[in-house]
Amino acid sequence: MPAEIIDLRSDTVTKPTAAMRQAIFEAEVGDDMSGEDPTVNRLERIVAEMLGKEAAVYNCSGTQSNQMAVRAHCQQGDEILIDESGHIVNYEGGGAAALSGVSARILRGKFGIFDVEDLEGKIRPDNQHYCVTRLVCVENTTNHGGGRAWPLTQMARVGNWAHDHGLKVHVDGARLFNASIAAGYSVKEFSRHADSVSICFSKGLGCPMGSILVGDSTTIYRARRARKLFGGALRQAGMMAAAAIYALENHVERMQEDHDNARAFAEAISGIDGIRINVEQVESNLVFFEVAPERGTSAQLSARLLERGVKINPSGPQRLRACTHLDVNRANLLHAADMVRECMEAGIAQANGSHLAGTAYASR
């Protein structure tokens, strides 16, 4: 395997920059579970204000944020409405059911984005035979929907519909800043239509870990209790919170570079025989493409790419996902595209994809 690896599996693979490490080193800390970590408290104030909400709670991961929100909004026996590609229902270990006794009713939107017509008729009748429909879950950007950004007008329609019907709205905003950059609205404008929003710091923002959940004070009070219940209460978390503050101040606008690089990679592989991609559907830092079935499988192409120092995981039998981030530059992306071409020209059908044995298709 080549000495230099180009890792396009996810933006979660980024390493903290030197300046971010310095911010971590200098962070003032305290006991966060007791509300005494000044850096965590500052981060929570910053993000709550940024998204136009009353309160926030810092935690370990996007999955934890989402499950805290489900717990805060729902009771045992309730039901959420969510697109079939949503992370909460596919890649969080059945957490809604296991941790909160909540089931899911699946919607079939387009590119992971649904509309009012997809919601109509999905609220359960007020009858003892049925669970109670309680929460609408939105993902922005959509992950396996293709890295697409919700249009602001569509989010407004969905939010208004939900609230008119007495439902709450939660946004899995793991890559909400990517959506903001791609679609040209502020995170506050988008969040206006939601009751709670989670944001991951470990993806496009480039932090080593961490997520945050924002909402009204009652929701966040309930979510903070859920964080404790789920074993996620933190102590001197200010070091990681300092990384998040640094990222918010320095890494948001630069996401446009990731989006531009993703488009460049998509354009570079679009002419390769045996590769199928719609370049116009690449909106953010996620690039989904397919291997023609007669040429092989996604696992086989992934295995051949790994031999050439490029890490791209399958996200389906024929589908792969490449993710751009601050640790890969334009030259890296164009080289990776050359390796895709080289693999397809050499043939991939004999590769067994054994490096993927026992693993799931790419989630985050």
Side-chain angles (χ1 to χ4, degrees), residues 69-228:
V70 170
R71 182 85 180 196
H73 290 303
C74 299
Q75 302 177 45
Q76 285 186 324
D78 286 351
E79 178 183 68
I80 64 174
L81 301 178
I82 187 170
D83 187 82
E84 61 185 345
S85 67
H87 195 274
I88 290 174
V89 76
N90 286 294
Y91 300 109
E92 298 189 2
L99 298 173
S100 300
V102 171
S103 59
R105 191 169 193 181
I106 299 303
L107 308 172
R108 289 181 172 84
K110 186 175 183 181
F111 303 115
I113 301 173
F114 49 86
D115 213 328
V116 169
E117 56 264 30
D118 302 304
L119 291 161
E120 292 287 0
K122 297 299 191 296
I123 297 178
R124 303 284 185 180
D126 184 9
N127 184 293
Q128 63 180 322
H129 294 92
Y130 300 112
C131 55
V132 176
T133 308
R134 188 79 65 180
L135 180 66
V136 176
C137 294
V138 166
E139 187 176 278
N140 196 23
T141 60
T142 63
N143 182 2
H144 281 262
R148 307 296 285 270
W150 273 69
L152 187 59
T153 54
Q154 193 161 337
M155 179 61 189
R157 286 196 300 272
V158 166
N160 289 337
W161 182 93
H163 294 143
D164 287 346
H165 288 80
L167 306 183
K168 298 292 187 179
V169 178
H170 170 66
V171 173
D172 174 359
R175 296 186 176 92
L176 183 59
F177 285 101
N178 289 101
S180 173
I181 295 293
Y185 47 67
S186 72
V187 292
K188 180 180 289 188
E189 287 176 310
F190 188 84
S191 301
R192 181 180 300 128
H193 307 288
D195 299 283
S196 61
V197 182
S198 64
I199 292 174
C200 284
F201 299 116
S202 62
K203 297 182 174 64
L205 289 166
C207 296
M209 64 165 284
S211 179
I212 200 163
L213 180 69
V214 301
D216 64 82
S217 56
T218 299
T219 298
I220 297 306
Y221 172 80
R222 290 172 58 84
R224 195 175 291 276
R225 290 185 65 88
R227 184 182 74 160
K228 174 65 175 177

Side-chain angles (χ1 to χ4, degrees), residues 26 30 42-43 51 57 68-69 80 93 97 114 133 136 138 151 167 175 181 248 250 267 296 298 311 342:
E26 295 175 353
R42 180 182 171 216
L43 173 65
L51 272 65
V57 54
M68 288 160 56
I80 64 174
F114 49 86
T133 308
V136 176
V138 166
L167 306 183
R175 296 186 176 92
I181 295 293
L248 290 172
N250 296 276
E267 291 172 347
S298 59
K311 292 184 176 182
E342 185 177 298

